[in-house]
Amino acid sequence: MTDQFAKKSEAWSARFSEPVAELVKRYTASVDFDKRLALHDIEGSLAHADMLQSVGLLSATELDAIRGGMATIRDEIERGVFVWSIDLEDVHLNIEKRLTDLVGDAGKRLHTARSRNDQVATDIRLWLRAAIDDASALLAALQGALVDLAEAHADTIMPGFTHLQVAQPVTFGHHLMAYVEMFSRDAERLADCRRRVNRLPLGAAALAGTSYPIDRERVARTLGFDGVCGNSLDAVSDRDFAIEFCAAASIAMVHVSRFSEELVIWMSPRVGFIDLADRFCTGSSIMPQKKNPDVPELARGKTGRVVGHLTALLVLMKGQPLAYNKDNQEDKEPLFDVADTLTDTLRIFVDLVGGIQAKAARMRQAAAEGFSTATDLADYLVKKGMAFRDAHEAVAHAVRRASDAGKDLSELSLEQLRTFSALVGDDVYAVLTPEGSVAARDHIGGTAPAQVRAAVARARARLSAG
Ligand code: ARG
């Protein structure tokens, strides 16, 4: 125990009479994970220094020295030779100390009119903005891959399910386009979230603003922000923008997870609707015949961890009084992991979708099972003048008869069908095929092959408009 509470050599500042305990130092340090913000920290510092010089708080020579020192530091970080020290707690103090070692007094002036509180909030927003741009590009690529596959399968018939029971025939292209709709809303959510991420906290300083004549708009412009955060207390303390990103990412992952679940079911030999390219599957160490859909299964599993991180950030925030509290240091690991998991998953799925092999004959066969055209028969009777409720009942009797005889509706003779309604004529067989069933659903949002092609064209136009 005494080891853990051993003293480090130096106290935090002259205000302290003893150094922080070793375990406390490790407990409070964030450099191991927040060094990931380093390049954004430098970018923010350079914009801040430029502003300080523009309002007369730094000389041109000092600004040059800071720029030179930061270039060296960036280079050291990129080459992997920068020495990170846990004694310096976080990314901000590590870089500032190295800058001062390199350029002396100019480095000591950089922190004028700034606090780590507005600095870290700025860094995270810069980092997250880039992460959102990556994820958005991948969502567009994934939609593109799904659209291509949907077009190739605009006419491929498969069973549509409700309650995982065969319901009505659909086209595989239509089914895939459902996911394009989902991922397109996910992209919209990210774009909307980005607008709120893209605001500058710097200038809020520790919490109340600063007494120096700063120019926040200039810093915002330099960093490509759309504007400044309007309240200093809010700027340093709230992480709603990160929570919002995690919420949008969670919804996107839930969509990936639903798709994954379907891929797993479709690939089961019992179902046999698709095959996935071998590079996304693994074998079994004991059962030589196995080809397992590991990637979709893992994506489904990783969705749990993303949703967990969203919960972590919500709970992190809920009890915090204004303004900054150290709790917020705990925002980074969940946020980083959400972004990493989302972008890795999307990147893999772009390729995975391109490698999906549909087994059209098996799908077609399954679509004809389970009386999937029963609704079409009822609709046929309605079009001949029967009330829908009566038609529903007549077809229920027909299904029961066919089921008892081990036949499909289309295998009942005209005579047999006419025992359920005299309205049945020999044109009835056209509506009892899966092809007739899907072709009849020919309105916007319907499953008809022509509508799938129209949806594909709309999606392509939207994607190319960006
Ligand atoms: N490492 C800290 C964080 O991530 C930086 C801000 C610390 N500010 C402070 N006053 N302790 O939140």
Side-chain angles (χ1 to χ4, degrees), residues 4-17:
Q4 289 184 337
F5 289 92
K7 310 283 167 59
K8 75 166 184 172
S9 51
E10 264 179 80
W12 175 256
S13 75
R15 152 83 176 74
F16 292 77
S17 58

Side-chain angles (χ1 to χ4, degrees), residues 30 34 90 92 116-117 120 324 326 329 332:
S30 55
D34 68 16
D90 58 23
H92 323 292
R116 280 184 298 155
N117 297 352
V120 71
Y324 176 85
K326 187 81 165 185
Q329 181 165 288
K332 289 168 205 62

Side-chain angles (χ1 to χ4, degrees), residues 4 12 30 40 50 54 78 105 124 128 146 153 178 210 271 322 348 402 409 415 420 433 436 441:
Q4 289 184 337
W12 175 256
S30 55
H40 296 296
D50 161 82
S54 78
E78 281 170 352
D105 278 358
I124 302 171
L128 183 54
L146 286 163
H153 291 288
T210 175
V271 177
L322 292 180
I348 290 178
L409 284 176
E415 205 175 64
F420 304 104
T433 62
R441 287 160 170 77

